[in-house]
Amino acid sequence: MPTSTCLPARRVVIGALLALAPLALSAQQTITAADYDRAVSMLSFSVNPLVSGGSVAATWLPDDRFYYRSTTADGIEWVMVDPARRTKTPLFMVDSVATALQRAGVGKIDPRNIPAQRAELSGDGTHVTLDISGKRWNCEVAGGTCSAASTDPVTERGAARRARAGVMSPDGRMSAFVRDWNLWVRETASGKETQLTTDGTPNFGYATDNAGWVHSDRAILKWSPDSRKIATQQQDERKVGDMYLVSTKVGHPELQSWKYPLPGDSVVAMIHRVIIDVPTRTIVRLKMDPDYHRAMLGDDLNMDDLSWSPDATRLAFVSTSRDHKKATVRLADARTGAVRTVMEETSPTQFESVAGWRVLWPTSEIVWSSERDDWAQLYLYDLNTGALKRKITTGAGPVQNIVRMDELGRTVLVEALGREGAEDPYFRHYYRVGLDGGGWTNLTKESGDHAIQVSPSGRYLVDTYSKADVPPVVTLKNADGGVIMPLSSMDISRLVASGWKPPMSFTVKARDAKTDLYGQLFRPTNFDPSRRYPIINNPYPGPQSGSVGSRSFSAARGDRQALAELGFVVITLDGMGTPGRSKSFHDAYYGAMGRDNTLPDQVAGMKELAQRFSWIDIDRAGVWGHSGGGFITADAMFRYPDFFKVGIAESGNHDQRNYEDDWGERYQGL
């Protein structure tokens, strides 16, 4: 609802102004109601409705056809694309379906704006299911009839909650879920429930999702390809300390408590790895010591660290040490629980498998991500011996993600950064490379930040690319990156007509006066270069992410432009110690979070911008941030009191000893 959405956003801008008022008032600047209105007009709920198109979320069919919902200036389109025939046709007949929905009792429907966020095509392609007004409607694609698929939205919501908490088997026949610390399965067709484990006890349960900040009812596990086995863990938190959260509301407060290890605790969450045979309800415990609740990448357990063999007789997995400095690849026999070590990698700081890993079972190989040469690269190992066979990728710029493996063609599709010369090094591009290290092919040659969706066969991809000042273009491409046909482009004419302007991208030097840093600068839309503006920095120190965020086009980037409208220059800058560059760049303040957190880079960058642009008044510098940004803001006010005149520290994690163990120990050490 517009009113409830707008008020908090307005309060954010007003609150920011009140805290940052000394910067503006020192120049006797008067903030008017018109300034506030202009600021509110630049918030997301104001500007996002002014753009249309430029977004394709493909729902792929087994034969590589796909369909999607697209907004246009005239309304909503539902499109079916056949890559082989190079055709775009309506997914369903909107006029006829709108009429059929009205006959079914939905109410008046504008065929240009059928109020459904998603559609689901039936297997035979004759019907489409639309979610409208809390009900599911099953309609003939030709629009003959529509009928309510369910008239009980409460039941549907309950089923949706169960689906989110459970994990569906590959064959779709059953879902695994946690109840009373034990693992159960529910048959999809009949709803019959079967208990798989019986010895789960409070805080020593199976597949539980609880360690640190994350805690939920969802099950953490991995099904085997044949849907007969489950790899999971019995997580021991019986002696782990508690965290408490009290809700404030009218009436009695509500107390939440859950297990939450802190950095340095003598007891943290440990996982006992198990494999469960579903038909026989047999538990095979892996013959190894318990692992720490850790993942190669991220703060929580990640089932991508596990890989089943196609015949479900073996399970490969990675154990990560408590301090994240060692990753160990292990291979388990799913029938006996026997475990052997395949290989290990260690790092003097944190080991980070940026792109993850893949097991090539037919050839007994591992594609492994490592930053050992200062860039995230891929390496090929022998699964049986653990011996390195070769380096797959080379050169400057990190390989960020393994998108798709073509085991028969011996190629891998990867996402990588910083490999296109003079471009912003954070722009994502996608490449196909041979497992022998040769045949690098850039599938996304257009300048900009790319995101792709790959068809089931790998023969086609949907490529969306843009820049901060260039709206998105979506194209259908073949496997070699050749354009087959355009799909969509964003229309920003109404946005531009509103007075909106994109942020200015900039490059400055880091504290070492050598390393390039990249950021964005926001100016008032009524910018006057003859004036001098206070400068506000909105930083995020990481180390798990940076300040700027996505380099793709966005009509709104938080409230940065809105704040600029109140008479400021606002910047965000990715300092050293944040990801997306080299390992040495990321490790810049490893183990020194309280002494660095990119502040030297933020100050150096702001000073350089002030030297470059006469309209920046560096004597009126402010800073604000949330969470890690709140932490760096408070630190800025104490460490640079002569530079920063005012700051807002919002929800800052000011002492990492009070944050979760996994995150703090990963970046600060033990």
Side-chain angles (χ1 to χ4, degrees):
M1 296 173 59
T3 301
S4 61
T5 302
C6 298
L7 285 177
R10 287 191 174 96
R11 291 189 188 116
V12 168
V13 176
I14 294 170
L17 175 66
L18 292 175
L20 296 167
L23 297 183
L25 294 179
S26 62
Q28 302 301 310
Q29 177 183 349
T30 300
I31 307 298
T32 68
D35 294 325
Y36 281 108
D37 289 340
R38 194 173 61 255
V40 170
S41 74
M42 292 299 159
L43 291 168
S44 59
F45 59 81
S46 297
V47 295
N48 286 343
L50 301 180
V51 303
S52 59
S55 176
V56 171
T59 298
W60 295 97
L61 300 177
D63 61 1
D64 281 346
R65 290 181 302 148
F66 63 94
Y67 57 92
Y68 63 93
R69 174 185 185 272
S70 177
T71 59
T72 71
D74 297 324
I76 298 170
E77 291 182 339
W78 302 85
V79 182
M80 171 69 81
V81 177
D82 187 332
R85 296 178 177 173
R86 303 189 175 209
T87 59
K88 288 171 59 178
T89 56
L91 175 63
F92 55 86
M93 306 309 294
V94 291
D95 291 325
S96 300
V97 166
T99 300
L101 284 167
Q102 291 175 177
R103 286 200 303 264
V106 178
K108 188 171 178 58
I109 296 289
D110 180 355
R112 296 172 302 176
N113 288 285
I114 293 177
Q117 292 299 310
R118 61 181 296 273
E120 184 177 335
L121 191 66
S122 63
D124 60 8
T126 61
H127 289 75
V128 64
T129 302
L130 303 169
D131 294 339
I132 301 174
S133 301
K135 294 182 180 180
R136 306 204 78 193
W137 299 91
N138 191 29
C139 302
E140 292 178 307
V141 295
T145 61
C146 288
S147 59
S150 171
T151 57
D152 186 358
V154 174
T155 300
E156 284 198 354
R157 286 196 294 270
R161 282 196 299 272
R162 290 195 299 272
R164 287 193 296 270
V167 180
M168 189 66 67
S169 61
D171 62 10
R173 293 180 59 248
M174 61 185 70
S175 175
F177 64 97
V178 177
R179 175 184 291 159
D180 297 329
W181 306 97
N182 281 292
L183 192 63
W184 295 62
V185 291
R186 180 184 298 110
E187 293 181 7
T188 306
S190 67
K192 178 185 176 183
E193 296 178 346
T194 302
Q195 187 171 354
L196 299 180
T197 68
T198 58
D199 60 336
T201 58
N203 300 310
F204 193 27
Y206 289 89
T208 54
D209 182 31
N210 176 32
W213 189 245
V214 171
H215 57 291
S216 75
D217 295 331
R218 67 189 180 120
I220 308 300
L221 54 87
K222 189 156 194 170
W223 283 93
S224 63
D226 62 3
S227 299
R228 296 178 62 85
K229 294 184 176 70
I230 292 173
T232 186
Q233 53 282 321
Q234 188 175 11
Q235 181 167 240
D236 190 358
E237 296 185 292
R238 290 171 291 182
K239 296 182 179 180
V240 171
D242 293 323
M243 177 59 68
Y244 301 98
L245 189 66
V246 179
S247 65
T248 57
K249 58 183 180 180
V250 175
H252 294 284
E254 193 174 280
L255 175 67
Q256 296 181 44
S257 66
W258 69 97
K259 294 299 180 180
Y260 190 115
L262 295 174
D265 278 1
S266 59
V267 178
V268 297
M270 304 296 293
I271 59 172
H272 300 248
R273 298 188 184 272
V274 299
I275 292 173
I276 300 173
D277 186 279
V278 176
T280 65
R281 290 179 282 174
T282 302
I283 301 176
V284 176
R285 296 188 177 274
L286 300 196
K287 297 174 181 177
M288 58 178 289
D289 291 334
D291 264 336
Y292 288 100
H293 178 110
R294 296 290 186 267
M296 279 200 292
L297 188 64
D299 302 338
D300 303 298
L301 292 178
N302 187 342
M303 293 298 101
D304 286 340
D305 286 358
L306 282 66
S307 176
W308 278 104
S309 64
D311 61 3
T313 61
R314 292 177 293 169
L315 178 73
F317 61 95
V318 181
S319 301
T320 298
S321 62
R322 176 171 177 170
D323 58 8
H324 279 272
K325 292 183 178 181
K326 181 169 72 172
T328 304
V329 177
R330 294 188 164 111
L331 192 60
D333 187 314
R335 293 161 296 193
T336 67
V339 177
R340 69 176 180 86
T341 296
V342 176
M343 56 173 280
E344 290 183 347
E345 180 157 350
T346 61
S347 169
T349 56
Q350 56 138 345
F351 172 77
E352 188 171 46
S353 180
V354 175
W357 71 314
R358 295 289 189 278
V359 178
L360 310 182
W361 291 100
T363 54
S364 296
E365 294 171 306
I366 299 172
V367 176
W368 181 254
S369 172
S370 169
E371 295 178 295
R372 68 188 64 162
D373 79 347
D374 201 37
W375 296 104
Q377 307 282 12
L378 298 183
Y379 298 79
L380 191 66
Y381 279 85
D382 188 300
L383 175 63
N384 294 320
T385 66
L388 174 65
K389 300 181 76 170
R390 71 181 62 90
K391 190 175 184 179
I392 299 173
T393 63
T394 58
V399 175
Q400 291 285 107
N401 189 23
I402 299 172
V403 179
R404 189 176 189 276
M405 295 293 311
D406 181 356
E407 296 185 34
L408 291 177
R410 299 289 290 173
T411 62
V412 56
L413 176 59
V414 301
E415 174 192 300
L417 308 179
R419 291 175 176 254
E420 295 302 310
E423 272 194 341
D424 184 322
Y426 295 92
F427 282 171
R428 295 168 295 172
H429 284 271
Y430 295 83
Y431 306 85
R432 187 177 63 246
V433 59
L435 294 182
D436 61 359
W440 270 87
T441 302
N442 183 359
L443 308 181
T444 53
K445 295 179 181 178
E446 301 87 352
S447 179
D449 183 53
H450 291 254
I452 65 170
Q453 302 163 73
V454 184
S455 73
S457 71
R459 290 195 296 265
Y460 306 102
L461 56 93
V462 173
D463 179 20
T464 304
Y465 59 94
S466 66
K467 300 179 183 179
D469 58 349
V470 178
V473 173
V474 190
T475 60
L476 176 64
K477 294 183 173 181
N478 61 32
D480 293 322
V483 175
I484 296 175
M485 60 190 296
L487 295 177
S488 181
S489 60
M490 181 176 284
D491 180 355
I492 64 169
S493 57
R494 290 180 297 158
L495 179 67
V496 173
S498 74
W500 176 93
K501 290 182 173 57
M504 182 179 79
S505 298
F506 66 83
T507 306
V508 292
K509 295 298 182 183
R511 87 282 296 273
D512 60 6
K514 297 178 182 178
T515 305
D516 285 335
L517 302 178
Y518 297 81
Q520 292 179 346
L521 183 149
F522 301 78
R523 293 173 289 182
T525 53
N526 60 358
F527 174 73
D528 180 354
S530 67
R531 282 185 52 190
R532 286 172 59 77
Y533 293 86
I535 181 171
I536 298 171
N537 193 331
N538 179 207
Y540 192 85
Q544 82 283 4
S545 62
S547 304
V548 177
S550 171
R551 264 52 179 188
S552 293
F553 181 90
S554 180
R557 295 177 183 270
D559 60 2
R560 294 162 188 167
Q561 185 60 47
L563 189 57
E565 296 301 329
L566 300 177
F568 302 104
V569 167
V570 179
I571 72 158
T572 54
L573 175 66
D574 286 328
M576 295 178 70
T578 57
R581 305 280 291 276
S582 65
K583 178 169 178 57
S584 55
F585 187 97
H586 193 190
D587 283 348
Y589 65 84
Y590 174 85
M593 200 171 295
R595 300 194 304 273
D596 192 311
N597 55 57
T598 85
L599 268 175
D601 294 325
Q602 304 295 335
V603 173
M606 293 171 73
K607 289 181 176 179
E608 183 177 336
L609 288 172
Q611 292 174 349
R612 191 181 305 171
F613 302 116
S614 61
W615 33 266
I616 292 178
D617 186 352
I618 199 64
D619 292 327
R620 290 185 291 161
V623 56
W624 87 271
H626 175 84
S627 188
F631 162 49
I632 188 178
T633 294
D635 200 19
M637 297 302 294
F638 284 105
R639 292 180 56 213
Y640 294 90
D642 295 332
F643 182 78
F644 291 106
K645 302 303 187 294
V646 64
I648 307 172
E650 181 181 277
S651 302
N653 49 313
H654 301 292
D655 191 329
Q656 310 313 324
R657 293 172 296 182
N658 282 331
Y659 202 48
E660 65 177 82
D661 66 323
D662 191 8
W663 189 88
E665 293 177 355
R666 175 183 175 188
Y667 296 113
Q668 187 68 17
L670 299 181

